[in-house]
Amino acid sequence: TRQTEDTTSDKEMHIKTTLRELLVYVIFLIILCIVTFAMTSPTLYYYTKVMSELFLDSQFPDTKNTFRGMTSMADFWRFSETPLMDGLYWEKWYNGRNVSQNELGYIFYENKVLGVPRLRQLKVRNDSCTVHSDFQNDIKQCYDVYAKSIEDKNPFGKMNGSAWTYSSESQLKGSSHWGLISTYGGGGYVQNLATTMEKSKIIIADLKQNLWLDRGTRAIFVDFTVYNANINLFCVVRLLIEFPATGGAIPSWNFRTVKLIRYVTAGDYFVLACEAIFCLFICYYIVEEVLEIKRLKFSYFKSFWNILDILVIVISFVCVIFNVYRTIKVDKMLTDLLKQPEEYPDFEFLSYWQVQFNSAIAILVFLAWIKIFKYISFNKTMTQLSSTLARCAKDLAGFAVMFFIVFLAFAQLGYLIFGTQVKDFSSFPSAIFTLFRIILGDFNFHELEAANRVLGPMYFILYVFFVFFVLLNMFLAIINDTYSEVKADVSSQQNEFEVGDYFKKSYDK
Amino acid sequence: TRQTEDTTSDKEMHIKTTLRELLVYVIFLIILCIVTFAMTSPTLYYYTKVMSELFLDSQFPDTKNTFRGMTSMADFWRFSETPLMDGLYWEKWYNGRNVSQNELGYIFYENKVLGVPRLRQLKVRNDSCTVHSDFQNDIKQCYDVYAKSIEDKNPFGKMNGSAWTYSSESQLKGSSHWGLISTYGGGGYVQNLATTMEKSKIIIADLKQNLWLDRGTRAIFVDFTVYNANINLFCVVRLLIEFPATGGAIPSWNFRTVKLIRYVTAGDYFVLACEAIFCLFICYYIVEEVLEIKRLKFSYFKSFWNILDILVIVISFVCVIFNVYRTIKVDKMLTDLLKQPEEYPDFEFLSYWQVQFNSAIAILVFLAWIKIFKYISFNKTMTQLSSTLARCAKDLAGFAVMFFIVFLAFAQLGYLIFGTQVKDFSSFPSAIFTLFRIILGDFNFHELEAANRVLGPMYFILYVFFVFFVLLNMFLAIINDTYSEVKADVSSQQNEFEVGDYFKKSYDK
Amino acid sequence: TRQTEDTTSDKEMHIKTTLRELLVYVIFLIILCIVTFAMTSPTLYYYTKVMSELFLDSQFPDTKNTFRGMTSMADFWRFSETPLMDGLYWEKWYNGRNVSQNELGYIFYENKVLGVPRLRQLKVRNDSCTVHSDFQNDIKQCYDVYAKSIEDKNPFGKMNGSAWTYSSESQLKGSSHWGLISTYGGGGYVQNLATTMEKSKIIIADLKQNLWLDRGTRAIFVDFTVYNANINLFCVVRLLIEFPATGGAIPSWNFRTVKLIRYVTAGDYFVLACEAIFCLFICYYIVEEVLEIKRLKFSYFKSFWNILDILVIVISFVCVIFNVYRTIKVDKMLTDLLKQPEEYPDFEFLSYWQVQFNSAIAILVFLAWIKIFKYISFNKTMTQLSSTLARCAKDLAGFAVMFFIVFLAFAQLGYLIFGTQVKDFSSFPSAIFTLFRIILGDFNFHELEAANRVLGPMYFILYVFFVFFVLLNMFLAIINDTYSEVKADVSSQQNEFEVGDYFKKSYDK
Amino acid sequence: TRQTEDTTSDKEMHIKTTLRELLVYVIFLIILCIVTFAMTSPTLYYYTKVMSELFLDSQFPDTKNTFRGMTSMADFWRFSETPLMDGLYWEKWYNGRNVSQNELGYIFYENKVLGVPRLRQLKVRNDSCTVHSDFQNDIKQCYDVYAKSIEDKNPFGKMNGSAWTYSSESQLKGSSHWGLISTYGGGGYVQNLATTMEKSKIIIADLKQNLWLDRGTRAIFVDFTVYNANINLFCVVRLLIEFPATGGAIPSWNFRTVKLIRYVTAGDYFVLACEAIFCLFICYYIVEEVLEIKRLKFSYFKSFWNILDILVIVISFVCVIFNVYRTIKVDKMLTDLLKQPEEYPDFEFLSYWQVQFNSAIAILVFLAWIKIFKYISFNKTMTQLSSTLARCAKDLAGFAVMFFIVFLAFAQLGYLIFGTQVKDFSSFPSAIFTLFRIILGDFNFHELEAANRVLGPMYFILYVFFVFFVLLNMFLAIINDTYSEVKADVSSQQNEFEVGDYFKKSYDK
Ligand SMILES: [Ca+2]
């Protein structure tokens, strides 16, 4: 954005320039908001919701447990035998009649399952860790926590077929996955399911009978993608069950609802037009900033607002490029896929980047909103407030450092004392977030007390006393004191020329 | 209300006038409170509670699911076959004996079902949206999200009877309904149930067997009205199951407990008397305000209190008129209804406006309470406080603007990042409310974390730091600083003549 | 307490006096704390807990519902047939063997059921209300909300036996009960159960078969008392199911765990000694205050501390008298009871007053603690703080009035808008408490939103903005400002003689 | 740490010294953090989680209750017959095939059960309390609340075998346990289970048939230890069911996940190296402090930082010694144990002290973090903040005393009024914690209301008003006022020489 400091001598000129810039900027912001609000809608949430309820909350017929509550390998088989089958294959109407042939393969009769679902497991070798010498006579095998380097790649069980022989990440064109316990590689032992419930049940029964999962198994992925033509959305589903080295099972899941095909309806084409305008704006701002950099050289980078400008432009640029790439890539994938309906189609990669793209856009809009403060800062009340913030920033920062040292000390204390017992303190970052949440009043005192009946309550009371009663009030004291100063300064100054005056003057003419 | 500024020179006179006005106003307020408190009682809540528990929390016999937890079309049939039938038709006592003939048709043996319940479904056409070219070979039908313009109005299934042929909104004398996903029209395919359980079960079995609900179905309404003569209340029940274009089912409900017949008991006639007095007061205030407007012309509208006066009068006026209309209308409806006991009686419209009427009255009372501040502002301590609020209003407003820009930026960021995963961020208004709730400590951190393990916690901590730690304290700084100023001003002034002094003086005489 | 103002000229003397008084007072406080802490222990809570879990959380065999979740008359019979019987009669050990004859009649094999349990129902007449003229052809009977004046006192059903004929409050020596919906009289239709499960089941089956509960029934009480000799505690149990005029059932309960026999063990006699000392203290303080009243006449009552003194004495006096009465009365009751093991023993009255006695003692201790501030106020830092509170009390009070007007306006608004739908707003007092809880962050936003999708969120945001953001900060501004003033005053004063100095001086001597 | 006050005249020298000390200290802190972070990891939490879910959340087949929800003796047998057996003995794979011989004895097929589990019960004598004279005819037996002195040590039931004869604490080499209700001795009636499910079931059936648990039973302990070689962790499990004298059952549990064997993998040996360096640091600091004490004599102990130094050293020293002891002891125990696989191995003692060791280390790190403030206090902004805290410390402390008197008065009031009904007020310390939690917004208003419909809400509102609205704001006022003063002081001072200047100067050279 053009530097306006050189015109401050001429106030009226300054205001005129600012107002014009503001106007242009507001149009830019509106276009940006249209583009982003068009990207999402409550429908996406409903899609995630109905899909996740279907697979996560359906009860196993015998134990009434659900996917969310899985605790053992046996639970995985219970899940795959009933809720997974009933969720994937809708072969009967509610009155018991079979659905017609061309209605097969739709979840909820609406969502086409693309290709076939896939099971994939990852194992570790049985010599992946050292048993302590005292136990070496009794315990012959040791399966470590999963790591890529100790993955088991040998055939096992029936020794043939992709389910029993290892396929590497590059063979599967997979990518690694950040689970709750570890980050898993993209390879593994792979078994595609079939397009009908009957065949799939046979496949699963066979796996179960031959002990496909054993002590070395560290994770199973269930992957599939559905497409809903009504609302033109893909839902890329990944169900993951991790088997930690401690025994037991930890389920997690990922329902990525994404709009991979963007331009179908008339509304979509309107958005396309907005996107084109957005690109023009980006070009305009690029040119402007380049000129300004040339003019101001190094001093350009000293202004917070200029850094923000560059950030906005860079993110915009990346997003535009990804958008083009995605459109091309998806088209290619779909063409391939529809030719081979019995293959597993890997939308994992694409949906992952689509989610990152959405996040980038979201941050872009946030920054664009913040930038608006650049323009409104010449109103007097606003000046007073923003200069309060600016003036106390240094003190606040200094205090924030003090605050966070105490905070981290408490976090580490909590992590070490309660870490083995309380989920919210089971890792160091969790402990930090938990302490933040305590300040807002969201905590579970009884868990702390159960974890350590003496130190739990003492820790809680000390923390509340020092951080909530004392330190938090320091923030207030700093802001309060600075505000008084600023207000005293402002009222002692002579009145500056303001926008209000400008409009009044224009009106008087 | 009479303008009292012109008499401020004569303090004693001023106070006398104010006190007299206050007295009149307090009587008005008491009358108003009597009228409103008579309108409602905890009994209304208990009525809503027992009716909603009966229909929403009764378990389906096989899956132990309830209406609240419905997730599919099959669940609707499970609901209608058991909890709906058991809820509507109480044909046996707890010891298994049949109830006598004239006790039939009462829910809980107490609440008369007026006429018969009605099922109504709305459908969309199967060509209501465009399938992307890549999928057009595989997917032949496309049922869009519900909109009035794409409603399916063709007969289907058995092709005869109101259940299979479309009735328009005007034929049904219906009105549109604002559901969770869309706003639905008042027409549709309609099936009345019978007055006995046996017949109703046959009707429902027939609908189920012939696939009354299909992929085009977007909503089913179950409507009925019950009347409890013991407490003279109607409960207008609407159960709505929406079938979004994503598949699945989203249940919602409406239990409007309303007192449509207002004057039955002696107590009711006392309220009627109060209402008459209230009308007189309104007339009095109308005259007063009209006179004042005549006197002050345009400047009348510059005072906040005058605007409030007019608002109070207008709302009162509307409420009075509705009250009269409702009394007449209900009487007519009931006469018609009791002649045709096998028809569906539409209390939807009346109950909707009755609820609006209650809300209007509620707002009226709120405004009336606020107006009391006009009279108490001459006490010194009060002056000090209210002038603090008045003086910092501008700064607070300026700051509120800044605050809300940051707030909206965070809301949009949250909506875009978490919208597809987290219910509380699934729409823009929800995101705003959620951020408000975070400030008060009501939030679900784990959901944010599950939605995005990197951005979730970062977003939360940034928000809490900037909004809870920094911005919220600005409010305090502004109020704190202004209060100091005001107090300094007040103590430097000579003591004003106060109400306390007035009473003392009167007493001395 | 002796007035010490007259000695303030002589500081040292003053401090000596104060210290001596403080010493005496601390001894008094310790005695009081011993007495009160001896009255209660976590065992009482455990007793309440195991008894309430036994009756409230046991599932009905068919519907898996519990007493807490009862919604209809049928549920009452389910409760009385299984959980009530299994809870009252423990006639077998866990291995299936019968308990021996003299072990019969103990709940959990430990808690002796005193006498037999009693069922009592209250009914209203079928002509207790007016049916609106439009409905009079259809609805012949009308059972109003319970009130003592419209109680049905006619025999019904089998027409003989206490279960089917009315017994008045005086016949039953009962007392009225404040239920959730109404306050119920002490009379009614009464049925005692038997001492064995077999007989009791026959009684209940007979009541059920003959429709003991009908449309007129408004409440059933299940009353019994158990005594645990191990810990010498009574638990007086009252289960109440109210049948509102709306239909349905509202369960409530009362488990009063009380120590009616106070002096059994050695420890109890130590407490008795403390109580004796306490009585002496009370006498001492009565004398002191009487002397002071004589000396100071009317001006005595102007001091806050003197009022507090009198309050403490009066409450102490009442408690002492009740204690004596209870001891005598219980002894008499037990003697009577153990002679007639098949009668229902009414501990309702005694346990009610014992609970009131406990509350009175609790308030007494609270006041005694507050009184300690009288003595510590001569330390400088303390003075500074307490004079801050004293000085801003007037402003705070003035502001509190403003605050509560706004608060009440919001409460009434909430009550009228959400009252029919949301439990927390279903009565005016509830609405007030709910608004308080919102300030602390304990609320259910989704309920408000469900009750009214437009006004719900608006109400919430307005309330939070005005009350949480603005008004609450006024409290702070007032206190903050006053504290600055006080501190400035104090530091400008010359140092007063302090307690610290006194001790130093004594030490130097 | 070296006293640096003597060099303050020479500022540059001072800063140099401080920086050098800071550098050394930071290295010390890093070493300490490495050691402590190596001690724990989220894996420990997962181990606790899977083990506790297995035993606490498995449902009993008939009542669907779990260990957490146990309420009676019968529930204990239900637990021991199914969830305990299924949890301890994993003798079949999920496909029904038996596990091979050398895979027997592993929970989740991964966690070796060390030795055999043990049941232990504690009883009290039937004459352990006095029955009140009125009841002595009816109630012949009295079993008091558990206390060591009234323990029943007589043989009972089958009169032979360890299950029916008492073993003393020293015979069992046990230790006492702090339960929810009492502290239990280490002796009792002991029954070891077997290594196979079949044999264990026979043992349990025999105990049940012969009424092993009777009215005198006050607690049962189920103890066992598992070792996971994959991750080299022990989980020492203790399930405790207490039978209070009131009847009923109160379950509690203890899952101590500890790393008793510390040096197995390469990573462990790196930690060992760090621990060695840590020991060197401790020696260095011991020498330094000893020298300083010699130099400064008594005045050494007046500095807060010196006290902190000594605390850190002492805790470090204790921890080092325990670490050595543990390593030796565990090695010895394991050797013994693996020779006798059918004995119960008592890891209770060791795991208890390991947990205490972890807590000590945690506190050590916390103190070490706090000590860092000693070094950063020469930055100007920091000085301003820390001197604010220091200066208002006295006022804050004075106020905290006032605050806590009010607080304790409220706590005692709450305890006495609600103690018998509400868990959060069932003991005096609980009441204190509950009141703290109310301030943060974590409370259950409805429980208070249910406990006492009049005093409950009044108590709540009074507490919130006085403590949350008024007293809490005093904290703020104190800090706010002090900060203003400090800032005024600092800005009036001439600028001190700062670290920033030092670096600038060094750079200029
Ligand atoms: Ca809160």
Side-chain angles (χ1 to χ4, degrees), chain B residues 27-28 31-32 34-35 270-284:
Chain B
I27 294 170
F28 170 70
I31 293 288
L32 185 53
I34 290 172
V35 170
F270 171 68
V271 173
L272 184 59
C274 290
E275 285 171 355
I277 299 170
F278 175 78
C279 293
L280 293 181
F281 264 108
I282 291 303
C283 297
Y284 165 73

Side-chain angles (χ1 to χ4, degrees), chain B residues 236-292:
Chain B
V236 182
V237 179
R238 164 161 285 183
L239 305 172
L240 165 60
I241 305 102
E242 294 173 78
F243 299 100
T246 59
I250 312 281
S252 59
W253 51 86
N254 234 325
F255 290 83
R256 292 204 191 105
T257 304
V258 283
K259 193 173 188 174
L260 293 177
I261 309 177
R262 289 204 59 188
Y263 311 112
V264 174
T265 68
D268 296 341
Y269 286 103
F270 171 68
V271 173
L272 184 59
C274 290
E275 285 171 355
I277 299 170
F278 175 78
C279 293
L280 293 181
F281 264 108
I282 291 303
C283 297
Y284 165 73
Y285 280 120
I286 288 173
V287 170
E288 203 182 59
E289 296 308 308
V290 165
L291 290 177
E292 216 172 334

Side-chain angles (χ1 to χ4, degrees), chain A residues 113-302:
Chain A
V113 181
L114 298 181
V116 290
R118 191 176 76 183
L119 304 180
R120 175 164 67 93
Q121 80 158 311
L122 287 167
K123 301 178 68 178
V124 294
R125 290 196 306 272
N126 67 15
D127 59 348
S128 47
C129 46
T130 328
V131 177
H132 186 253
S133 50
D134 284 345
F135 284 104
Q136 275 171 357
N137 284 332
D138 290 274
I139 302 174
K140 304 289 187 193
Q141 294 181 315
C142 184
Y143 298 88
D144 204 353
V145 173
Y146 177 85
K148 233 172 184 169
S149 55
I150 55 167
E151 234 181 58
D152 188 357
K153 301 184 179 177
N154 300 317
F156 72 108
K158 296 169 83 176
M159 308 299 266
N160 63 343
S162 65
W164 309 94
T165 54
Y166 185 82
S167 309
S168 71
E169 182 165 331
S170 57
Q171 282 171 317
L172 297 176
K173 293 187 191 106
S175 51
S176 54
H177 180 93
W178 182 28
L180 291 176
I181 296 176
S182 305
T183 299
Y184 298 96
Y189 301 86
V190 162
Q191 174 66 58
N192 285 358
L193 293 182
T195 51
T196 64
M197 192 192 282
E198 203 187 348
K199 287 187 203 160
S200 293
K201 280 192 167 172
I202 290 169
I203 292 170
I204 286 194
D206 182 60
L207 293 177
K208 182 178 171 186
Q209 195 50 43
N210 292 288
L211 295 177
W212 194 48
L213 303 184
D214 60 19
R215 287 187 56 201
T217 303
R218 283 290 166 265
I220 307 179
F221 293 82
V222 182
D223 285 303
F224 56 91
T225 303
V226 294
Y227 174 72
N228 187 311
N230 299 344
I231 48 177
N232 183 28
L233 288 174
F234 289 78
C235 187
V236 182
V237 178
R238 162 161 286 182
L239 305 172
L240 166 60
I241 304 102
E242 294 173 78
F243 299 99
T246 59
I250 313 282
S252 59
W253 51 85
N254 232 326
F255 291 82
R256 291 205 192 103
T257 304
V258 282
K259 193 172 188 174
L260 293 176
I261 309 176
R262 290 204 56 191
Y263 311 111
V264 174
T265 68
D268 295 340
Y269 286 102
F270 171 68
V271 173
L272 184 59
C274 289
E275 284 171 354
I277 298 171
F278 175 77
C279 293
L280 294 181
F281 263 107
I282 292 302
C283 296
Y284 166 72
Y285 279 120
I286 288 175
V287 170
E288 203 182 59
E289 295 308 308
V290 165
L291 289 177
E292 215 172 332
I293 291 175
K294 270 195 179 156
R295 192 153 52 85
L296 296 169
K297 303 272 153 54
F298 190 71
S299 68
Y300 173 88
F301 295 98
K302 285 186 177 165

Side-chain angles (χ1 to χ4, degrees), chain B residues 85-116:
Chain B
M85 290 300 112
D86 290 349
L88 284 172
Y89 304 104
W90 292 64
E91 302 181 348
K92 282 183 193 306
W93 277 96
Y94 50 76
N95 65 357
R97 200 185 300 171
N98 286 333
V99 304
S100 66
Q101 194 58 33
N102 65 343
E103 286 173 335
L104 275 175
Y106 290 82
I107 291 177
F108 281 120
Y109 320 119
E110 301 280 1
N111 303 288
K112 188 172 176 55
V113 181
L114 299 181
V116 291

Side-chain angles (χ1 to χ4, degrees), chain B residues 396-449:
Chain B
L396 276 185
F399 178 63
V401 169
M402 269 184 72
F403 185 84
F404 277 102
I405 290 178
V406 175
F407 205 83
L408 292 181
F410 268 108
Q412 191 168 352
L413 182 59
Y415 172 49
L416 291 173
I417 298 183
F418 308 119
T420 62
Q421 307 283 328
V422 181
K423 181 154 192 252
D424 285 342
F425 284 96
S426 66
S427 72
F428 189 56
S430 286
I432 291 172
F433 305 146
T434 303
L435 290 184
F436 249 93
R437 288 160 53 203
I438 287 181
I439 291 175
L440 290 171
D442 175 36
F443 57 93
N444 189 335
F445 176 77
H446 292 301
E447 265 187 3
L448 288 196
E449 206 184 15

Side-chain angles (χ1 to χ4, degrees), chain A residues 274-420:
Chain A
C274 289
E275 284 171 354
I277 298 171
F278 175 77
C279 293
L280 294 181
F281 263 107
I282 292 302
C283 296
Y284 166 72
Y285 279 120
I286 288 175
V287 170
E288 203 182 59
E289 295 308 308
V290 165
L291 289 177
E292 215 172 332
I293 291 175
K294 270 195 179 156
R295 192 153 52 85
L296 296 169
K297 303 272 153 54
F298 190 71
S299 68
Y300 173 88
F301 295 98
K302 285 186 177 165
S303 159
F304 170 73
W305 298 120
N306 287 336
I307 302 291
L308 197 60
D309 287 340
I310 290 183
L311 216 61
V312 166
I313 289 170
V314 169
I315 296 177
S316 304
F317 205 74
V318 170
C319 289
V320 168
I321 288 173
F322 178 79
N323 205 12
V324 173
Y325 166 77
R326 194 253 338 277
T327 309
I328 297 166
K329 176 83 183 176
V330 168
D331 200 50
K332 205 177 143 298
M333 276 193 73
L334 285 180
T335 320
D336 292 359
L337 166 70
L338 294 165
K339 285 191 206 131
Q340 305 168 314
E342 302 245 345
E343 285 294 299
Y344 166 73
D346 198 341
F347 281 91
E348 183 62 25
F349 174 82
L350 216 57
S351 66
Y352 176 79
W353 284 106
Q354 177 67 16
V355 167
Q356 304 313 312
F357 166 75
N358 287 346
S359 300
I361 290 270
I363 291 168
L364 177 65
V365 184
F366 183 73
L367 296 177
W369 271 105
I370 295 303
K371 205 180 141 189
I372 221 167
F373 280 101
K374 179 179 175 182
Y375 302 104
I376 63 169
S377 63
F378 51 79
N379 170 300
K380 189 180 161 185
T381 313
M382 292 296 173
T383 317
Q384 195 168 302
L385 294 161
S386 59
S387 70
T388 302
L389 286 180
R391 207 189 279 198
C392 67
K394 203 189 142 196
D395 275 8
L396 276 184
F399 179 62
V401 169
M402 270 182 73
F403 185 84
F404 278 103
I405 289 177
V406 175
F407 206 84
L408 292 181
F410 268 109
Q412 192 169 351
L413 182 59
Y415 172 50
L416 292 173
I417 299 182
F418 308 119
T420 63

Side-chain angles (χ1 to χ4, degrees), chain C residues 62-80:
Chain C
D62 49 352
T63 61
K64 305 292 174 200
N65 200 350
T66 64
F67 185 85
R68 285 185 207 270
M70 284 167 84
T71 56
S72 67
M73 276 187 188
D75 278 343
F76 170 76
W77 294 112
R78 282 192 195 102
F79 169 72
S80 59

